[in-house]
């Protein structure tokens, strides 16, 4: 059943402290009299531990929201993070993702390239370069970036591997393989907007327009501000 109740929202900060960094968040239910559902907080021993701390914090929030798959909320849930060796590389990668969502592919490429300059083993940034270059019809550049991403699969989380292989197969024109990878991704992570979007594209390339439209709408609903996913829905319709 579909609920009209707004989903939980999360607000928080990263604070410096005598022992490193403190990451407190509040989980809120917008539009209710008592909006706060619960608080969660973790600490990071130093800058190099912040990304791991975010993983631990995500596990605590999921556990607090009733996710029974979280065995130990104090351990990093590796399925929810992307693998980076530095905050600077992570920041550049996320900037690339945001610029791509805003419909700025050249700016996104520059951000992804900055990410791999900082962290040459950040496989997901190479996958981003491959996807954008392929959309810009720069096939040689796309293939080189995808090959580098695929060579780094063993450094990725399970979720990253599904995304990377699915993106690669889509770029190479293998819609069936792209569908298989993305179906496994969204089966394990049903709210993965990228997985839903790429699965929709796979069905579109298999001429199943009704399925593509349904999945495209699901993906666009998760992040309504994503220009590319909204335009894809228009195309499928």
């Amino acid at each position: 059943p579909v609920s009209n109740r707004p989903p939980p929202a999360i607000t928080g900060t990263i604070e410096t402290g005598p022992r490193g960094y403190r990451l407190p968040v509040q989980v809120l239910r917008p539009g209710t009299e008592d909006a706060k559902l619960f608080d969660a907080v973790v600490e990071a021993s130093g800058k190099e531990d912040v990304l791991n701390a975010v993983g631990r914090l995500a596990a605590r929030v999921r556990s607090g929201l009733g996710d029974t798959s979280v065995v130990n909320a104090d351990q990093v849930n590796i399925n929810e993070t992307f693998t980076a060796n530095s905050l600077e590389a992570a920041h550049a990668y996320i900037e690339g993702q945001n610029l791509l969502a805003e419909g700025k592919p050249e700016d996104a490429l520059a951000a992804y390239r900055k990410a791999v300059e900082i962290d040459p083993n950040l496989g997901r940034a190479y996958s981003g370069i491959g996807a954008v270059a392929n959309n810009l019809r720069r096939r040689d550049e796309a293939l080189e970036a995808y090959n580098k991403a695929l060579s780094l699969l063993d450094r990725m989380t399970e979720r990253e591997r599904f995304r990377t292989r699915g993106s690669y197969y889509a770029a190479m024109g293998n819609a069936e393989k792209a569908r298989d990878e993305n179906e496994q991704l969204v089966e394990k992570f049903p709210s993965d907007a990228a997985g839903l979007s790429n699965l929709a594209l796979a069905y579109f390339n298999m001429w199943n327009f009704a399925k593509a439209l349904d999945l495209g709408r699901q993906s666009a609903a998760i992040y309504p501000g994503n220009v590319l996913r909204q335009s894809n829905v228009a195309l499928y319709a």
Side-chain angles (χ1 to χ4, degrees), residues 18-93:
R19 293 185 296 176
Y21 295 90
R22 185 172 179 270
L23 290 72
V25 300
Q26 287 187 335
V27 181
L28 311 173
R29 176 73 74 184
T32 60
E33 186 175 340
D34 184 13
K36 187 169 76 170
L37 293 175
F38 61 88
D39 295 305
V41 62
V42 297
E43 293 185 349
S45 58
K47 190 175 181 181
E48 68 284 350
D49 187 42
V50 169
L51 290 174
N52 285 333
V54 171
R56 297 194 298 271
L57 186 59
R60 290 193 180 189
V61 170
R62 288 178 55 188
S63 179
L65 290 172
D67 187 345
T68 58
S69 69
V70 179
V71 177
N72 186 344
D74 287 322
Q75 294 190 1
V76 177
N77 188 325
I78 62 169
N79 292 322
E80 289 299 321
T81 61
F82 64 87
T83 308
N85 289 331
S86 75
L87 282 175
E88 291 82 3
H91 175 79
Y93 173 77

Side-chain angles (χ1 to χ4, degrees), residues 194-215:
L196 288 167
S197 179
N198 291 332
L199 183 57
L201 180 61
Y203 275 108
F204 176 77
N205 288 331
M206 296 170 67
W207 289 36
N208 190 335
F209 304 139
K211 185 72 171 178
L213 180 59
D214 177 55
L215 291 164

Side-chain angles (χ1 to χ4, degrees), residues 3 5 28 30 42 58-59 64 78 96 99 109 152 170 172 175 198:
S3 172
R5 186 171 63 176
L28 311 173
V42 297
I78 62 169
L99 288 166
L109 267 179
L152 294 167
M172 296 301 106
N198 291 332

